[in-house]
C-alpha cells in the first residue's frame, strides 16, 4: 500500500477550499452564459477551453479509444447537455448544485447492478434519506408550483444530468479494471477535447442559424462566464483536486466535496436572488444530510481498514 500523508498542509487546505469555491460557484456563470449562448454553444466553449492548450502538452491516456469516447460522451456531452438545458428551462442554480449530488446514489445503484459492488450500511441509509429529499422536490412541483424557480422539466433534466455523471463514474471503474494506469489529467484534457468537438457538431446541426451570431454579439459577462467555466471550474479545479487525491487518501479529500452544494445553494440565492420554497429547503437539507452520512461513513470504514492493514504489517 503506497504511503500517503495523513493530514493536509495549510497550502493544501487552501487548495481544497478553492476547489469547493470554484465548483460551488460554477452554476452561477452557467446561468449568465445562457443569456448569450445556447446550451450546445456553452458546452462547446466550456470543454474546448478546458482542453486547450492542455491536451497539446499531455499524451493521450493509455486506455482503449472506446473508453475515452464513452467517457467523453457521458461526462461531457451527456451530463452537461442535460444540465445546461435544465438551467435554461426551469431549474435554479441553487437547487441544481444540490440535485446534481444525487449522482453519488445513482453511482452506487449502478455499481451494484452492473458491477456487483456491495452497498454498505451508510450508503443504504443515505439513499433512503436522499429518496425522502427527492420526494420533497416532487411534492413541491404539485403543491407550490409558481412559488419557486423549478419546473417539472428542469427537475427531470437535472436528474438525467446526475444519471449521466453516474454513468461516467461507472465507465471510470471499467477503465481502471481494464487498464494498468493512466493520468487523470490527460483523461480530463482529452475527454474535454472530444466533448467540445461533439458539442460543436451538435450546435452546427441543431442550433438555429441565427444563433451562430451569438459568438459575435455576446456580452462581456457571457465571455467571462465561459472563461470561468473552462479554465477555472474545469481546468484549475480538476487539476488541484487530482493533486490532492494523489497525495492523500480519498477518505481525507472526499469530505471537502460536501461544501460544493452549500456554496452553490447560497450563491444562487445571494447572487441570482433565487427564491426557494419550504419544501425545497427541506428536500435540500435531506439530500445534503444523506451525503454527510455516506461520505463520513465511507471515511470511517476506509480508516478502519487502513488501521487493520497497518497492524498486520
Amino acid at each position: 500500500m503506497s504511503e500517503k500523508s495523513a493530514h493536509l498542509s495549510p497550502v493544501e487546505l487552501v487548495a481544497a477550499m478553492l476547489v469547493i469555491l470554484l465548483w460551488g460557484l460554477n452554476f452561477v456563470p452557467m446561468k449568465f452564459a445562457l443569456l448569450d449562448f445556447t446550451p450546445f454553444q456553452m458546452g462547446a466553449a466550456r470543454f474546448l477551453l478546458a482542453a486547450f492548450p492542455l491536451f497539446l502538452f499531455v499524451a493521450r491516456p493509455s486506455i482503449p479509444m472506446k473508453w475515452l469516447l464513452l467517457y467523453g460522451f457521458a461526462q461531457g456531452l451527456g451530463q452537461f447537455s442535460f444540465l445546461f438545458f435544465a438551467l435554461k428551462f426551469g431549474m435554479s442554480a441553487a437547487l441544481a448544485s444540490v440535485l446534481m449530488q444525487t449522482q453519488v446514489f445513482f453511482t452506487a445503484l449502478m455499481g451494484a447492478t452492473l458491477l456487483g459492488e456491495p452497498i454498505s450500511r451508510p450508503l443504504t441509509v443515505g439513499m433512503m434519506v436522499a429518496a425522502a429529499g427527492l420526494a420533497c422536490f416532487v411534492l413541491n412541483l404539485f403543491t407550490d408550483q409558481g412559488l419557486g424557480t423549478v419546473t417539472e422539466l428542469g427537475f427531470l433534466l437535472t436528474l438525467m444530468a446526475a444519471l449521466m455523471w453516474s454513468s461516467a463514474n461507472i465507465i471510470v471503474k471499467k477503465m481502471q479494471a481494464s487498464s494498468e494506469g493512466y493520468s487523470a489529467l490527460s483523461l480530463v484534457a482529452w475527454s474535454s477535447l472530444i466533448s467540445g468537438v461533439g458539442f460543436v457538431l451538435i450546435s452546427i446541426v441543431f442550433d438555429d442559424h441565427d444563433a451562430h451570431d451569438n459568438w459575435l454579439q455576446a456580452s462581456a459577462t457571457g465571455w467571462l462566464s465561459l472563461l470561468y467555466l473552462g479554465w477555472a471550474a474545469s481546468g484549475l479545479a480538476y487539476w488541484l483536486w487530482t493533486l490532492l487525491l494523489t497525495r492523500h487518501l480519498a477518505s481525507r479529500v472526499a469530505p471537502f466535496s460536501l461544501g460544493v452544494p452549500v456554496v452553490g445553494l447560497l450563491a444562487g440565492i445571494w447572487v441570482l436572488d433565487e427564491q426557494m420554497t419550504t419544501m425545497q429547503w427541506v428536500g435540500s437539507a435531506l439530500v445534503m444530510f444523506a451525503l454527510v452520512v455516506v461520505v463520513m461513513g465511507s471515511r470511517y470504514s476506509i480508516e478502519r481498514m487502513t488501521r487493520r492493514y497497518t497492524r498486520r504489517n
Side-chain angles (χ1 to χ4, degrees), residues 105-157:
F105 312 107
F106 288 142
T107 300
L109 290 174
M110 293 176 70
T113 303
L114 301 176
L115 304 178
E117 295 182 346
I119 297 181
S120 64
R121 182 176 300 175
L123 188 55
T124 301
V125 174
M127 287 193 292
M128 294 174 63
V129 176
L134 291 179
C136 290
F137 287 111
V138 173
L139 183 62
N140 174 83
L141 293 173
F142 295 99
T143 58
D144 290 327
Q145 187 67 38
L147 297 178
T149 54
V150 176
T151 64
E152 292 93 336
L153 180 59
F155 177 76
L156 291 174
L157 288 173

Side-chain angles (χ1 to χ4, degrees), residues 185-199:
L185 190 62
S186 66
L187 177 63
V188 170
W190 283 84
S191 65
S192 294
L193 179 64
I194 291 172
S195 299
V197 172
F199 270 117

